[in-house]
């Protein structure tokens, strides 16, 4: 797992960090192996402890370049997200991604349905900003909470904005 991380990501973790995750949240660690049992991808996730709203966090996702575009990252993410909701009753999952990482942004927003919740300035060691992103896992629970409880950073759209968006969506669907 660490080898996969070293090949793919500028952020690297010490072995004790992997062990901490494995021992604390074994249900949230998934790996993808090739036919020779070599790890070619993984997702390392955790639950945020002492949080007011139960939620998970994706610590790291990595797939070797030789195994990309096969849907492995999507499968790994969905497995971790499902376990968060089913095992830990997580209402949402968060993650951070480099603003410059267009491939990851596409995966998170277009394929997995994450939304940007905010920007963390100088989040990475090289001072690059990160998008703070969220995927709601249990909307019926999450939406009953106040924005303050949820930690949402963006205000609600002005009254009527959602209706306008819905109308535009309906218009585009009928004109297609």
């Amino acid at each position: 797992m660490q080898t996969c991380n070293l090949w793919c990501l500028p952020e690297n973790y010490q072995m004790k960090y992997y062990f901490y995750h494995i021992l604390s949240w074994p249900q949230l660690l998934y790996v993808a192996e090739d036919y020779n049992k070599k790890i070619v991808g993984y997702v390392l996730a955790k639950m945020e402890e002492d949080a007011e709203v139960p939620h998970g966090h994706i610590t790291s996702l990595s797939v070797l370049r030789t195994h990309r575009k096969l849907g492995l990252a999507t499968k790994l993410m969905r497995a971790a997200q499902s376990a968060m909701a089913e095992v830990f009753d997580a209402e949402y999952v968060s993650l951070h991604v480099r603003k410059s990482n267009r491939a990851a942004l596409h995966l998170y927003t277009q394929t997995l349905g994450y939304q940007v919740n905010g920007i963390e300035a100088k989040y990475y060691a090289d001072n690059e900003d990160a998008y703070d992103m969220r995927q709601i896992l249990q909307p019926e629970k999450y939406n009953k909470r106040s924005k303050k409880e949820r930690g949402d950073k963006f205000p609600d759209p002005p009254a009527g904005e959602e209706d306008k968006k819905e109308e535009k969506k309906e218009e585009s669907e009928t004109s297609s």
Side-chain angles (χ1 to χ4, degrees):
M1 205 165 54
Q2 190 174 34
T3 302
C4 188
N5 181 269
L6 291 169
W7 276 101
C8 299
L9 300 172
E11 295 77 36
N12 296 295
Y13 306 107
Q14 295 179 2
M15 282 303 291
K16 67 180 179 181
Y17 192 67
Y18 291 104
F19 287 129
Y20 171 68
H21 273 71
I22 292 166
L23 293 172
S24 300
W25 306 280
Q27 307 91 330
L28 302 180
L29 169 64
Y30 290 89
V31 297
E33 297 177 331
D34 67 9
Y35 291 112
N36 297 317
K37 300 290 184 194
K38 175 185 166 191
I39 293 176
V40 296
Y42 74 90
V43 62
L44 187 66
K46 66 179 185 170
M47 292 301 296
E48 292 292 355
E49 298 173 322
D50 303 321
E52 199 170 318
V53 178
H55 65 279
H57 183 78
I58 301 295
T59 303
S60 183
L61 172 68
S62 181
V63 175
L64 291 176
R65 291 191 191 285
T66 54
H67 289 76
R68 292 186 184 165
K69 300 289 185 190
L70 301 173
L72 294 177
T74 300
K75 289 177 184 174
L76 291 166
M77 287 290 289
R78 288 191 174 141
Q81 291 171 179
S82 292
M84 285 176 191
E86 293 169 16
V87 177
F88 296 100
D89 201 30
E91 294 182 23
Y92 70 90
V93 58
S94 64
L95 60 81
H96 291 97
V97 62
R98 288 177 174 272
K99 286 181 72 176
S100 64
N101 192 340
R102 292 176 43 166
L105 282 168
H106 184 270
L107 170 71
Y108 298 138
T109 59
Q110 303 302 310
T111 305
L112 296 170
Y114 279 73
Q115 294 183 341
V116 174
N117 185 54
I119 296 173
E120 300 283 341
K122 299 180 182 179
Y123 181 81
Y124 293 99
D126 63 1
N127 289 328
E128 183 174 351
D129 295 348
Y131 287 117
D132 169 18
M133 303 188 79
R134 288 188 182 181
Q135 164 72 5
I136 299 171
L137 302 175
Q138 297 189 55
E140 64 286 346
K141 289 183 179 181
Y142 182 82
N143 292 332
K144 287 181 182 176
R145 298 182 181 274
S146 70
K147 292 184 80 57
K148 185 177 179 181
E149 280 182 302
R150 297 186 313 226
D152 288 355
K153 295 180 181 171
F154 292 119
D156 285 325
E161 285 295 309
E162 286 300 315
D163 296 333
K164 290 177 188 175
K165 287 180 187 175
E166 200 59 40
E167 286 174 17
K168 285 182 183 178
K169 183 179 173 186
E170 288 172 5
E171 285 174 17
S172 68
E173 289 173 356
T174 56
S175 64
S176 302

